[in-house]
Amino acid sequence: MPSFVNKPIFMFYLVGISSFLIGCLYYPVFPWYILGDVKESEIGSWGFLSMVGGAASIVGATAINLASVRVQKALLLLSFVGLALLILAQVPALFSWLFYGGVFTRHWMPWPVLGTAIGMALHVWLGLAALTTMVSAGKALRGGIEPGFKLSRRGWLSFAGVLLLVLGALWGWEVYQNRHWIASISPADEAVNVPLNAVVSVTWKGSYDSMGMKIDYADDPHLPTPGTTAGSQYGISFTPEQPYLPGRKVVVTVEAGRRSHTFAFTTAQQ
């Protein structure tokens, strides 16, 4: 095993500095912004989070140097969560570079293939560095570097239990949000005798940047329902261009962000 694996503090500094510098390449305010004219907010957010994560890793590595053995063990355990998230964060970035190639770097890169290679290499490096740091931290907690760092079986079980509780709480909160993110809908779910020219509107709690609405007849989803859709961060509406078919059940599916909600109503008889 390479010698640097026996130096978890060094690896934390390496990952932190790498994450911070790569984040700078994706933050549009810097002159070395890698994607030139592309200024999507999601890319800037990724760069900002990468810089914050890198700074946190550097601060954590410094804290390990100054803390007691018990605190050092806790920080090493906590690092597993952060490093795992860092590795997962490289997957969509790699997919984007693989899917779009070097098309965004053509204005400064002579060959798109070279731009793609540079972009992918950055994220492969960060993922491998984070994985190596996890191995190094795990080796330290098993006592493979210094016996004093060895974590007892009870400590490992406690960490696993706390981690499961946190994941369970996050899952439960997500389930709750999926069931309670809608503030109001019109017409009401399972409403009957709805006017044939009724406007469908949905408002939700909070704000979302991406949204969509689909209007279908329950017995014939392929039958078109022409109309105009309008939306804002807080809701969306549909105004039919011609009356709905009478006595039919209409299914409405609305999406905002990663959330989705479906309800239905029945139109009035002609």
Side-chain angles (χ1 to χ4, degrees):
M1 185 173 293
S3 59
F4 54 80
V5 177
N6 296 324
K7 301 176 181 178
I9 308 301
F10 167 78
M11 292 303 303
F12 280 121
Y13 278 120
L14 182 64
V15 168
I17 294 172
S18 297
S19 180
F20 185 87
L21 293 179
I22 292 175
C24 289
L25 296 176
Y26 286 93
Y27 205 60
V29 300
F30 295 118
W32 49 79
Y33 178 61
I34 195 172
L35 297 181
D37 296 330
V38 181
K39 308 292 184 183
E40 273 83 355
S41 59
E42 293 84 358
I43 298 174
S45 298
W46 188 95
F48 177 75
L49 291 175
S50 182
M51 288 189 291
V52 171
S57 180
I58 294 171
V59 171
T62 304
I64 289 178
N65 272 327
L66 302 176
S68 63
V69 174
R70 180 173 295 182
V71 175
Q72 288 176 337
K73 291 180 181 179
L75 290 174
L76 286 174
L77 282 172
L78 186 61
S79 71
F80 281 107
V81 179
L83 291 169
L85 292 175
L86 182 60
I87 293 172
L88 289 175
Q90 308 316 307
V91 176
L94 283 170
F95 176 79
S96 296
W97 276 106
L98 189 63
F99 184 79
Y100 293 107
V103 64
F104 297 134
T105 60
R106 284 180 179 172
H107 68 287
W108 59 269
M109 184 63 61
W111 304 288
V113 175
L114 182 58
T116 302
I118 292 175
M120 295 188 68
L122 292 173
H123 298 285
V124 170
W125 159 256
L126 196 52
L128 290 177
L131 181 61
T132 305
T133 306
M134 290 183 71
V135 172
S136 181
K139 185 176 181 181
L141 290 172
R142 293 194 307 271
I145 299 176
E146 293 183 17
F149 276 113
K150 186 175 182 179
L151 189 67
S152 65
R153 182 179 180 183
R154 181 179 179 182
W156 283 109
L157 291 175
S158 299
F159 172 69
V162 171
L163 187 60
L164 288 175
L165 285 175
V166 171
L167 292 176
L170 292 175
W171 176 80
W173 175 249
E174 185 68 15
V175 171
Y176 174 82
Q177 288 286 72
N178 282 334
R179 294 178 179 176
H180 298 87
W181 69 284
I182 295 294
S184 65
I185 59 175
S186 178
D189 189 21
E190 300 301 334
V192 296
N193 294 322
V194 174
L196 302 185
N197 60 348
V199 174
V200 180
S201 63
V202 179
T203 58
W204 43 70
K205 302 173 184 177
S207 63
Y208 295 89
D209 294 328
S210 60
M211 66 203 72
M213 177 182 281
K214 185 171 67 170
I215 311 290
D216 294 315
Y217 291 106
D219 57 352
D220 192 357
H222 300 292
L223 192 64
T225 53
T228 303
T229 303
S232 69
Q233 289 181 319
Y234 308 102
I236 193 170
S237 64
F238 173 82
T239 303
E241 293 179 356
Q242 58 190 41
Y244 303 111
L245 296 178
R248 305 287 285 270
K249 184 174 184 178
V250 179
V251 178
V252 182
T253 301
V254 60
E255 298 178 349
R258 67 177 185 276
R259 307 198 186 281
S260 177
H261 181 74
T262 301
F263 64 97
F265 61 87
T266 303
T267 58
Q269 295 288 344
Q270 189 171 16

